Amino acid sequence: MLVALFAFAAFAQLPAGISRGDTLIADQLTGRVGTPSNFNLWSGWRWQDRGLQQLAIEPLWTVDYATGEIIPGLASEMPIYNPDFTQMTIKLREGIYWSDGVPITADDVVFTIDLHVRTPGLLYHGPMAEFVNKVYKTDDHTVVVELKGPNSRFHTHFLDRWGCLRIMPKHIFEKVEDPLAFEFNPPVSSGPYVLYDYDPAGFWTLWERREDWERTPTGMLYGEPKPKYVFFRAFETEESKILAQVRHELDMAQHTPEGLRAVLEKSDTVRAWRKEWPWVVNIDPCITGVMFNNMVKPYDNREVRWALVLAINIVDYMAIAFDLMAPVSPIHLPPVPAYREAFFEPLEGWLKEFELDLGNGEKFKPYDPEVPFKIAQAAKERGFPVPEDPEVIKELFGIGWWKYAPDVAEKLLKKNGFSRGEDGKWRLPDGSLWKIQVFSATNPAHHNFRNAVAVAEQWKKFGIEASMSPTEAFDSLVLNGEFEVSTQWPAAEPWGAGVDLSRTLEPWHSRLLTPIGQPVTLGPGGGARWSNPELDKIIEEMGMTDPFADVETTIALGIEALKILVREMPTIPTYGYCGAVAWDEYYWTNYPGAENPYTQPYQHWPNFKYMLPFLEKAKK
């Protein structure tokens, strides 16, 4: 502990001349920056949560899943499509400037799109080259994009939700010979902060509020950001992060559930998103779970996939995966408020009547609406202060999940040629021992690691030789299809605002189906290497539907798509992503907690800049 304290003390100092009382210090989710001098987020992964996406580069539009809004940033309003969705018009906000004093105009937008069309290797070259026929301006604040065909979702490539095509400063990049190699250092900012300094070793990045912050979208929309400086720091251990927060040297952090409990116990100035148990953020627009490679036997068989679902005791699973603190989901969406109303509640009656065919005329209804109450009971038995209100319990733990029915799972497997040996272990139809290796990433705090531990334990209990395999090659193995079962997100994350599910469904269109050995376009969802002709038609119909004007049709198409996913179960959704965030109120207060969720609560999301004008200095 003394060694750790000494090492931390040497690392914790702010650069000379920077006042701690004027500085917000935030934990960097993705860890130490591997390319500290490179800020060119258009040419590859650049650890954008070091402040690039949260403070420096404003997008055209941003999703806020806490409020359910889409916020126009550089744009002054939502995109305008012509009747057949072959043309999109962008109206820009007037009076906004790059941090070097150059106005932000239509020329920047036209340049950004055109450069991406022409330059393989830039991150959004693919969709720009695929969809854009022509881009031009009609005045300094109006851009028209003519598309190669109907596409009512083209704007989503510019809609920031932890990543999008952000607008480049033309006056900088037009002078660059190679936009892929250019480091964009120092970065010219369209957001309310500019780069002040960074650590060449990649452990920290410091930003300073612009003197002309009022000439940015953030300033125009919400006013002056309160911290003069924002300092992002990477921690190599959970212990050092806890210690920093207890010592008031870290204002905002995301912990493991165990780390969150520790810091709440050790500090009287730290709070979580919820002030009471279960503390964690449970409105994150991301679903976690299990992914099958549907091109590999026996996982190409829906009845085998369903047998594996029914072999899971979700209450025991949640105790292992997230200490009984996360909401379960029976469908391929996170149970955030907007989706509960649009999809979960309308689907619940159908889920209760949904049946599996076990053969010989036998049917089975697998849905269990009592799951949230069973989880609540298990939490009570652990001594947690569980509320009694049934509606609050459903808010905390979900609307329901699938029954634990190992006997039914056995019938489905035997129907498909599987057998149990005298040792109680399952054999594949060819008589060989059934072994499942569940791949995950290596970080024990990550949800894919926790899902892998939980599902391997459940299947082993059922009699399958199951084991978890954390590996640093996790992402590449999934992208290339070199796995049988993994715990990458079972579905691509939806937008989190509005009712458009195109982002979730698109990876499963058959035109994106990729052979094993070739990387898929979109890992979450697409890594499952599954498609369905009925779903293809729904996705294509969505492309001809205006998600803003025709909300009823958009919801109806989403519901039909979700029914297909339940019937086929190409992946298993388990629970909504939860964030164990902790905020120290020693220097700053008025964070967006559950009692006042005025914006999303994370420091690593691009909306973070919209939180800063609402923070207040603590009164000593």
Side-chain angles (χ1 to χ4, degrees):
M1 177 62 76
L2 287 174
V3 172
L5 283 170
F6 177 79
F8 181 77
F11 172 61
Q13 301 301 316
L14 289 169
I18 304 301
S19 166
R20 175 67 179 96
D22 291 326
T23 306
L24 181 74
I25 301 180
D27 163 38
Q28 186 172 313
L29 179 72
T30 58
R32 180 180 176 183
V33 177
T35 55
S37 65
N38 196 327
F39 295 85
N40 185 356
L41 50 70
W42 295 277
S43 68
W45 171 246
R46 299 290 177 247
W47 282 261
Q48 61 198 38
D49 63 320
R50 69 188 296 192
L52 275 170
Q53 70 177 8
Q54 308 103 302
L55 303 176
I57 307 298
E58 290 265 11
L60 290 172
W61 305 281
T62 302
V63 166
D64 194 304
Y65 61 83
T67 63
E69 297 177 347
I70 294 176
I71 303 166
L74 296 180
S76 62
E77 58 185 85
M78 297 307 296
I80 303 166
Y81 286 95
N82 66 349
D84 66 356
F85 303 107
T86 57
Q87 186 182 88
M88 184 184 81
T89 300
I90 303 167
K91 295 284 189 178
L92 293 178
R93 193 179 295 277
E94 297 187 27
I96 50 177
Y97 288 78
W98 296 105
S99 57
D100 59 3
V102 175
I104 299 173
T105 69
D107 291 328
D108 297 298
V109 180
V110 172
F111 175 83
T112 300
I113 296 174
D114 184 60
L115 185 66
H116 277 76
V117 169
R118 295 184 286 107
T119 312
L122 290 177
L123 286 181
Y124 281 80
H125 165 70
M128 295 303 106
E130 180 181 358
F131 297 121
V132 176
N133 180 47
K134 186 179 180 182
V135 57
Y136 54 90
K137 72 174 188 178
T138 57
D139 59 50
D140 282 347
H141 298 96
T142 307
V143 175
V144 176
V145 185
E146 294 184 2
L147 304 173
K148 293 179 179 178
N151 186 347
S152 65
R153 302 304 195 275
F154 180 71
H155 67 280
T156 60
H157 296 293
F158 305 88
L159 178 57
D160 204 351
R161 190 211 168 286
W162 235 96
C164 71
L165 176 49
R166 301 181 178 94
I167 303 307
M168 310 168 90
K170 178 188 176 186
H171 66 287
I172 301 294
F173 276 85
E174 68 182 349
K175 301 172 185 175
V176 172
E177 184 174 341
D178 184 355
L180 296 173
F182 180 53
E183 290 201 336
F184 193 43
N185 186 1
V188 176
S189 168
S190 56
Y193 287 78
V194 291
L195 180 69
Y196 185 92
D197 199 2
Y198 64 91
D199 174 26
F203 281 104
W204 55 263
T205 308
L206 176 62
W207 302 86
E208 182 179 19
R209 186 179 60 219
R210 282 173 56 169
E211 292 184 1
D212 65 339
W213 54 264
E214 72 279 1
R215 299 202 301 179
T216 69
T218 299
M220 290 183 175
L221 288 166
Y222 302 110
E224 181 181 13
K226 297 306 187 297
K228 183 176 181 181
Y229 303 98
V230 180
F231 190 62
F232 289 96
R233 296 182 42 196
F235 293 84
E236 294 191 293
T237 67
E238 178 79 0
E239 291 77 13
S240 63
K241 192 188 301 186
I242 293 169
L243 183 59
Q245 198 151 39
V246 169
R247 291 171 50 166
H248 313 305
E249 293 166 342
L250 177 62
D251 300 305
M252 302 182 70
Q254 183 160 332
H255 297 279
T256 63
E258 297 80 10
L260 176 62
R261 283 202 303 274
V263 77
L264 290 174
E265 289 171 2
K266 294 177 184 295
S267 174
D268 58 4
T269 59
V270 172
R271 64 156 294 180
W273 187 71
R274 285 181 177 273
K275 291 184 177 180
E276 66 285 339
W277 185 88
W279 305 304
V280 297
V281 179
N282 66 347
I283 59 167
D284 193 292
C286 176
I287 185 69
T288 79
V290 180
M291 175 182 286
F292 299 115
N293 188 336
N294 285 252
M295 286 186 175
V296 174
K297 291 184 178 300
Y299 312 102
D300 59 342
N301 183 331
R302 71 179 283 271
E303 293 189 330
V304 173
R305 299 192 296 265
W306 257 108
L308 289 170
V309 173
L310 299 175
I312 295 172
N313 181 329
I314 195 62
V315 178
D316 291 349
Y317 186 107
M318 293 307 300
I320 297 168
F322 208 69
D323 207 13
L324 299 170
M325 293 196 297
V328 295
S329 175
I331 60 178
H332 291 71
L333 286 180
V336 298
Y339 297 143
R340 287 193 194 111
E341 181 180 350
F343 300 109
F344 283 80
E345 292 171 9
L347 270 169
E348 190 163 23
W350 180 87
L351 289 169
K352 290 177 180 177
E353 297 304 315
F354 170 68
E355 293 182 327
L356 296 172
D357 184 355
L358 308 185
N360 300 317
E362 187 179 0
K363 306 284 186 179
F364 178 72
K365 293 181 178 180
Y367 181 67
D368 185 358
E370 296 302 310
V371 162
F373 303 100
K374 293 175 182 177
I375 295 175
Q377 181 59 37
K380 285 181 183 178
E381 292 171 3
R382 285 196 175 194
F384 291 127
V386 181
E388 297 294 333
D389 187 333
E391 290 306 311
V392 175
I393 288 175
K394 291 175 73 173
E395 177 192 343
L396 294 177
F397 303 118
I399 65 165
W401 206 73
W402 307 109
K403 294 174 182 175
Y404 177 48
D407 55 330
V408 178
E410 183 164 341
K411 290 178 181 180
L412 285 171
L413 291 176
K414 288 183 175 179
K415 177 184 174 184
N416 286 278
F418 288 73
S419 60
R420 271 191 193 268
E422 292 183 1
D423 56 3
K425 293 185 177 180
W426 281 98
R427 265 67 177 174
L428 295 166
D430 65 5
S432 62
L433 190 66
W434 191 3
K435 298 181 179 181
I436 299 180
Q437 191 177 18
V438 184
F439 284 117
S440 81
T442 57
N443 180 359
H446 200 287
H447 288 289
N448 58 42
F449 187 100
R450 290 174 170 269
N451 270 287
V453 172
V455 80
E457 179 68 24
Q458 291 294 300
W459 289 342
K460 188 183 298 183
K461 181 179 177 181
F462 180 59
I464 299 170
E465 197 75 11
S467 62
M468 68 161 299
S469 296
T471 171
E472 293 182 351
F474 175 63
D475 287 329
S476 62
L477 289 171
V478 173
L479 290 174
N480 288 293
E482 296 166 349
F483 75 100
E484 293 185 354
V485 181
S486 85
T487 50
Q488 194 182 63
W489 301 154
E493 303 164 11
W495 294 111
V499 294
D500 178 19
L501 300 188
S502 62
R503 193 175 193 267
T504 296
L505 303 174
E506 181 69 17
W508 283 312
H509 194 282
S510 60
R511 67 182 172 81
L512 297 177
L513 198 61
T514 308
I516 291 174
Q518 297 179 21
V520 296
T521 303
L522 296 168
R529 286 172 161 76
W530 171 85
S531 66
N532 177 281
E534 292 178 75
L535 188 60
D536 277 359
K537 293 177 182 177
I538 291 174
I539 295 170
E540 290 160 9
E541 190 173 346
M542 277 186 167
M544 297 296 295
T545 303
D546 187 331
F548 305 118
D550 199 347
V551 174
E552 288 187 8
T553 300
T554 302
I555 291 175
L557 290 170
I559 287 174
E560 291 308 307
L562 291 167
K563 289 178 181 178
I564 293 171
L565 293 172
V566 167
R567 286 197 295 264
E568 297 297 323
M569 202 59 72
T571 62
I572 306 175
T574 53
Y575 63 92
Y577 184 106
C578 280
V581 300
W583 302 317
D584 186 16
E585 296 187 311
Y586 188 82
Y587 287 104
W588 302 97
T589 63
N590 200 38
Y591 296 100
E595 74 282 1
N596 181 28
Y598 59 82
T599 186
Q600 67 77 37
Y602 296 128
Q603 72 271 13
H604 49 270
W605 271 62
N607 322 43
F608 178 56
K609 54 186 164 286
Y610 303 147
M611 181 195 306
L612 299 182
F614 295 94
L615 295 185
E616 299 171 0
K617 281 195 173 185
K619 296 177 181 179
K620 298 294 189 299

